[in-house]
Amino acid sequence: MQKNTTLGEFIIENQSDFSYSSGELSKLLNAIRLAAKVVNHEVNKAGLVDLIGNSGDVNVQGESQQKLDVFANKTFIQALNNREIVCGIVSEEDDEYIEVIGNNYNNKYVILMDPLDGSSNIDVNVSVGTIFSIYRRVTPIGTPVKSEDFLQKGNKQVAAGYIVYGTSTMLVFTTGNGVNGFTLNPAIGTFYLSHPNIKFPEKGNLYSVNEGNYSHFPQGVKDYIKYCQKIEEDRPYSSRYIGSMVSDFHRNMIKGGIYMYPSSFPYPKGKLRLLYECNPIAFIAEQAGGKASDGYTRILDLEPTEIHERTPFFCGNKYMVDELENFINKYS
Ligand code: AHG
Ligand code: MN
Ligand code: MN
Ligand code: MN
């Protein structure tokens, strides 16, 4: 597919990717595209329209909800609800799943999302993102959606992607046929194919982890970080960590690197949520030739039991994740 194809043309020309759907998946991606533009418009002027700071509420995660968390959440839910494409939504910002009644439950898909990833960066003008994960429902069409529709293994995803609101705004997604990145031209509000068929580079030299938690990391992770820091000619590693997983991951996929959020304090199971942070990013990483694990098991093979459950998360160039797992497995 040549560069500068628009996202709309790309979706039409790749209809075959969505063999199961008769257009709903395309409509779903179009709804996401619209919501991304609306959120981008606000992110770019959050300081001017009183969208920075916290909303005064605490979400189910125990985090103080930022105004932009709430705005992004409402915008994506509205865009999805209005189009009667999904039968249910899970969001980081909502305790329970949201049932979409429209169309008498005849919609085929469910979507799980992190409407605003990297909330701690909103007030300091550092890039943030949105992450989404799409599945076919497993309960019968025409019946109310149930929790098992959402508690599916990541290897059942039909599509996954993220928007990164950075120096430019990009929509990156996969439907299982590779990873493609589209950059928004804000002047005309159109996403153009700027990064066709993204793949991790052969070698990587970036490692991303919150080293402030180092003393709480499992010994194998500590050993791997020391290994990265050892001064040897052929391995000039750099540490890069901005605290928005989408941005850290996106940079590492383009330049080569590994993102780590191990079990640590106060997150004994890791901080990142399996369903709407780790699974979608793991799907994209694998489609780009990378790897994602919890240190022992492939992320996409983990069996979810709770919609907001967390997992340790290691994701990046396959050989880097392999090296890390070897360090971790020395202690198991
Ligand atoms: P969210 O803003 O959606 O709650 O996610 C924040 C996550 C992730 O984006 C980021 O890499 C990580 O939290 C940062 O956590 P620390 O501040 O503990 O490093
Ligand atoms: Mn949060
Ligand atoms: Mn997040
Ligand atoms: Mn979030």
Side-chain angles (χ1 to χ4, degrees):
M1 188 75 62
Q2 76 276 20
K3 280 196 171 186
N4 290 331
T5 302
T6 68
L7 176 57
E9 289 163 347
F10 181 90
I11 291 173
I12 292 166
E13 286 169 26
N14 288 277
Q15 265 304 334
S16 54
D17 290 358
F18 320 143
S19 47
Y20 168 80
S21 89
S22 46
E24 291 96 332
L25 197 49
S26 312
K27 277 199 289 187
L28 186 36
L29 289 170
N30 281 321
I32 291 167
R33 170 175 61 161
L34 174 69
K37 290 187 214 176
V38 173
V39 172
N40 177 63
H41 189 65
E42 295 309 308
V43 163
N44 285 346
K45 56 183 172 61
L48 299 176
V49 288
D50 186 29
L51 265 178
I52 54 177
N54 63 51
S55 66
D57 295 328
V58 174
N59 65 13
V60 65
Q61 325 283 339
E63 303 163 342
S64 80
Q65 267 183 331
Q66 301 302 299
K67 288 177 189 166
L68 213 49
D69 279 325
V70 176
F71 175 80
N73 196 38
K74 265 201 294 215
T75 302
F76 276 91
I77 290 172
Q78 208 164 33
L80 294 161
N81 252 335
N82 294 351
R83 283 163 180 72
E84 298 201 351
I85 319 157
V86 295
C87 55
I89 303 170
V90 155
S91 166
E92 177 201 349
E93 305 303 334
D94 290 282
D95 303 11
E96 307 296 330
Y97 63 77
I98 299 159
E99 191 178 45
V100 178
I101 310 289
N103 199 6
N104 306 319
Y105 305 117
N106 288 329
N107 302 327
K108 298 177 180 169
Y109 296 100
V110 294
I111 187 166
L112 301 92
M113 65 176 182
D114 176 357
L116 210 289
D117 177 65
S119 310
S120 63
N121 285 323
I122 294 170
D123 294 3
V124 293
N125 204 18
V126 169
S127 75
V128 293
T130 297
I131 313 171
F132 60 90
S133 169
I134 300 169
Y135 292 83
R136 295 182 191 121
R137 66 179 299 179
V138 292
T139 52
I141 289 188
T143 65
V145 69
K146 292 206 175 80
S147 55
E148 55 260 44
D149 289 310
F150 302 102
L151 296 173
Q152 300 185 51
K153 287 185 179 181
N155 58 34
K156 294 286 185 207
Q157 291 174 94
V158 291
Y162 57 82
I163 297 108
V164 50
Y165 310 97
T167 43
S168 59
T169 295
M170 277 190 73
L171 170 59
V172 178
F173 76 93
T174 182
T175 56
N177 296 285
V179 179
N180 290 287
F182 297 80
T183 299
L184 179 66
N185 176 340
I188 53 174
T190 303
F191 281 100
Y192 287 92
L193 180 60
S194 52
H195 297 67
N197 195 22
I198 302 175
K199 295 289 178 201
F200 277 93
E202 192 65 29
K203 299 293 279 176
N205 73 342
L206 300 175
Y207 72 93
S208 306
V209 66
N210 179 347
E211 295 188 61
N213 296 331
Y214 179 85
S215 58
H216 301 289
F217 289 161
Q219 190 55 46
V221 175
K222 288 181 179 173
D223 293 352
Y224 177 71
I225 292 172
K226 286 290 164 243
Y227 165 76
C228 291
Q229 292 168 343
K230 235 169 36 202
I231 308 295
E232 272 177 21
E233 270 75 60
D234 67 341
R235 250 184 316 97
Y237 274 77
S238 288
S239 168
R240 289 283 185 277
Y241 187 77
I242 70 165
S244 292
M245 190 260 285
V246 172
S247 309
D248 281 318
F249 170 77
H250 182 74
R251 179 201 53 241
N252 291 356
M253 180 167 66
I254 304 292
K255 295 202 169 214
I258 182 168
Y259 176 92
M260 299 178 271
Y261 208 107
S263 57
S264 60
F265 178 81
Y267 301 110
K269 290 203 172 151
K271 176 183 185 184
L272 297 181
R273 282 60 52 122
L274 173 60
L275 292 188
Y276 42 79
E277 290 175 309
C278 301
N279 272 337
I281 296 297
F283 187 16
I284 290 171
E286 289 196 1
Q287 286 288 313
K291 179 172 181 177
S293 95
D294 65 359
Y296 303 94
T297 308
R298 180 185 180 225
I299 287 290
L300 297 183
D301 290 340
L302 294 176
E303 183 79 56
T305 53
E306 200 276 312
I307 60 172
H308 295 296
E309 73 180 69
R310 300 172 192 265
T311 175
F313 187 58
F314 306 102
C315 180
N317 286 71
K318 183 177 180 319
Y319 79 94
M320 296 175 95
V321 178
D322 287 342
E323 282 174 336
L324 169 65
E325 286 181 339
N326 292 337
F327 278 99
I328 291 175
N329 288 317
K330 274 190 202 139
Y331 299 90
S332 46

